[in-house]
Amino acid sequence: MADLTTEFLGITSPNPFWLASAPPTDKEYNVRRAFEAGWGGVVWKTLGAEGPPVVNVNGPRYGAIWGADRRLLGLNNIELITDRPLDVNLAEMTRVKKDYPDRALIASIMVPCEEAAWKAILPRVAETNADGIELNFGCPHGMAERGMGSAVGQVPEYIQMVTEWCKQYYDRPVIVKLTPNITDIRHPARAAHAGNADAVSLINTINSITSVNLDAMAPEPMIGGKGTHGGYCGPAVKPIAMNMVAEISRDPQTAGLPISAIGGITTWRDAAEFIALGAGNVQVCTAAMTYGFKVVEEMISGLSDWMDEKGYASIEEFRGMATPNVTDWQYLDLNYVAKARISQDDCIKCGRCFAACEDTSHQAIAMSADRTFTVKDDECVACNLCVNVCPIEGCITMEEVPVGQVDERTGRVVSGDYSNWTVHPNNPSAAAAQ
Ligand SMILES: Cc1cc2nc3c(=O)[nH]c(=O)nc-3n(C[C@H](O)[C@H](O)[C@H](O)COP(=O)(O)O)c2cc1C
């Protein structure tokens, strides 16, 4: 059986599934139950400095986007860091770590961007025996307005500076949690690396307004007639998170920097995809908040079964395998040719593929009088729109066909007799490969 044990920064956990810093990890009661359910580790809900209490709103703090079946696709929140006293959290963390020595327990921290503030909290966190710390440079609301969270994560110089302080005053692994609310994720990752971070974790939540109440004319969640942007997470953000993880993973300037991947992870497959892109483990928040702690059982068994099927004995055996196949557009092979294929056995004759292709794409699907849909190979550019709009999974597929010649009239590479095919003129990589 596949071994799911992970060694992330020397921290061993029985599986790669950690709970991200958020309400599921806000207190001892939750974390004990999470560990009993099987989670490999937790990042405790972000701790703040001693001082005036953190006060959350007392109205709705979540907004959401749903699919047609009311499945939660995106969650938006305006919650702050923990509003429980620091000493209570630290005492609870100490007890939990003592009782679950085989699980990872990471302290998430967000204090003002002053050396004294970090110097004061780090020894107290160290006393809990937590396995490491995660620097919350990501929360986009509430704390950012106070010069913390994403306000730090958006300035690479601050990231480096604070990371250096943490490496100076704390002797266990330091993970830097990045905000996605930035143009090029490689810059903050490089800054963390320059500050000697042991790893980066990403993504935190994305600035968002999920809905506007058209009676009150205010964004939701609405607190007394006003709303504010929140942080977006859940399945909807996974593609953004995967791109960012891939960008860091393949950046030569951060080569080898361990990554803890976060963002929309709901199933074992999501986790496997992030690991294939180089992540050493994954963190989950929305899926646990939606389905409860037991969702990890499916993640563990699914990943383990898939690894057995593929013959991977450990996570490390497939970690990063997809990274070399992430490339820049100009290196895509323009001589590769595919065509849409419609399975007549599966087709329910709804005509969505026809409408989409005829009205908005390449007029490459023919409809007969009895509503039989067929692909016109000469027109099909394999854009994949028909596959994506078809309501029947697997009914329309893309089939690779032999590379052909450049059609001088359209500039397209067409399939056909390729005994004397020419390399597409826009494709230096394919030309080089000749
Ligand atoms: C209600 C809520 C509160 C959160 N609080 C924190 C926090 O205190 N510290 C932090 O680093 N991230 C916080 N996050 C962000 C999550 O840790 C995580 O980065 C994000 O939700 C993306 O993961 P997901 O798509 O699995 O939810 C919070 C997220 C939610 C939904």
Side-chain angles (χ1 to χ4, degrees):
M1 254 217 7
D3 179 9
L4 297 191
T5 310
T6 49
E7 282 281 339
F8 188 72
L9 315 179
I11 306 164
T12 309
S13 40
N15 61 61
F17 301 107
W18 291 7
L19 281 170
S21 177
T25 63
D26 193 27
K27 52 170 94 76
E28 180 174 2
Y29 174 77
N30 292 7
V31 174
R32 282 184 185 276
R33 292 179 64 246
F35 283 161
E36 290 306 316
W39 290 89
V42 301
V43 183
W44 204 273
K45 171 83 182 167
T46 304
L47 310 171
E50 204 115 47
V54 168
V55 181
N56 270 297
V57 293
N58 277 294
R61 52 180 88 165
Y62 302 122
I65 296 287
W66 301 269
D69 58 358
R70 183 80 189 172
R71 197 165 65 90
L72 188 78
L73 297 181
L75 186 68
N76 176 52
N77 86 88
I78 56 170
E79 182 180 281
L80 303 176
I81 60 172
T82 186
D83 51 16
R84 304 168 73 238
L86 180 62
D87 53 352
V88 171
N89 274 307
L90 294 175
E92 291 184 2
M93 288 164 63
T94 310
R95 283 197 294 270
V96 171
K97 182 63 207 174
K98 187 160 165 284
D99 290 349
Y100 293 90
D102 65 324
R103 311 300 170 92
L105 193 153
I106 306 293
S108 167
I109 310 176
M110 182 198 287
V111 295
C113 208
E114 296 154 8
E115 187 170 356
W118 289 92
K119 199 174 170 184
I121 196 168
L122 290 171
R124 298 188 63 186
V125 167
E127 278 172 16
T128 66
N129 213 20
D131 298 290
I133 55 174
E134 186 180 77
L135 316 187
N136 180 348
F137 295 156
C139 280
H141 46 263
M143 309 313 283
E145 291 84 337
R146 303 172 205 182
M148 292 181 265
S150 63
V152 179
Q154 287 163 342
V155 185
E157 292 78 8
Y158 290 175
I159 294 179
Q160 181 173 343
M161 179 177 75
V162 179
T163 308
E164 282 169 355
W165 292 336
C166 292
K167 288 299 288 179
Q168 189 181 341
Y169 300 120
Y170 183 75
D171 62 4
R172 289 192 172 186
V174 175
I175 305 169
V176 174
K177 185 168 182 180
L178 303 178
T179 175
N181 298 310
I182 189 152
T183 314
D184 187 341
I185 197 70
R186 291 172 304 176
H187 294 297
R190 288 172 188 166
H193 196 38
N196 259 327
D198 296 278
V200 286
S201 55
L202 67 157
I203 57 174
N204 208 310
T205 52
I206 303 174
N207 286 338
S208 62
I209 290 179
T210 39
S211 56
V212 172
N213 184 313
L214 290 178
D215 295 320
M217 283 295 171
E220 295 170 318
M222 198 169 48
I223 308 292
K226 298 256 186 259
T228 184
H229 76 266
Y232 201 42
C233 53
V237 309
K238 182 189 147 200
I240 298 164
M242 288 221 289
N243 178 54
M244 290 185 166
V245 165
E247 286 295 283
I248 296 173
S249 187
R250 72 193 185 98
D251 179 5
Q253 293 192 41
T254 48
L257 180 65
I259 301 172
S260 181
I262 318 167
I265 295 163
T266 312
T267 66
W268 67 266
R269 177 179 284 276
D270 299 331
E273 289 174 13
F274 275 105
I275 293 168
L277 287 171
N281 72 2
V282 296
Q283 298 184 30
V284 175
C285 166
T286 304
M289 290 179 71
T290 312
Y291 303 110
F293 289 143
K294 287 198 167 167
V295 72
V296 76
E297 291 175 8
E298 292 291 318
M299 294 180 182
I300 292 170
S301 62
L303 184 60
S304 171
D305 288 352
W306 173 78
M307 285 170 62
D308 285 346
E309 207 177 289
K310 292 281 180 190
Y312 297 127
S314 71
I315 298 284
E316 279 308 304
E317 283 190 14
F318 73 97
R319 190 173 70 79
M321 275 179 78
T323 309
N325 293 326
V326 183
T327 187
D328 294 332
W329 195 97
Q330 71 265 30
Y331 301 118
L332 297 178
D333 181 359
L334 298 188
N335 288 301
Y336 172 89
V337 182
K339 298 289 170 195
R341 296 286 173 255
I342 301 173
S343 158
Q344 300 303 333
D345 290 342
D346 296 319
C347 180
I348 57 168
K349 300 185 186 298
C350 69
R352 268 194 214 171
C353 60
F354 175 77
C357 189
E358 190 68 16
D359 290 355
T360 70
S361 295
H362 299 90
Q363 297 75 48
I365 295 180
M367 177 172 72
S368 70
D370 70 341
R371 293 181 71 84
T372 299
F373 298 94
T374 47
V375 176
K376 299 181 223 164
D377 271 8
D378 286 352
E379 301 302 332
C380 178
V381 299
C383 71
N384 221 32
L385 182 63
C386 55
V387 172
N388 293 324
V389 300
C390 176
I392 306 296
E393 194 180 345
C395 174
I396 310 183
T397 49
M398 284 294 152
E399 182 184 79
E400 183 177 354
V401 295
V403 282
Q405 297 177 339
V406 177
D407 179 325
E408 300 300 343
R409 190 177 49 85
T410 62
R412 272 184 216 155
V413 178
V414 292
S415 185
D417 167 20
Y418 64 114
S419 50
N420 59 354
W421 64 285
T422 49
V423 170
H424 194 285
N426 292 345
N427 192 358
S429 65
Q434 276 278 290

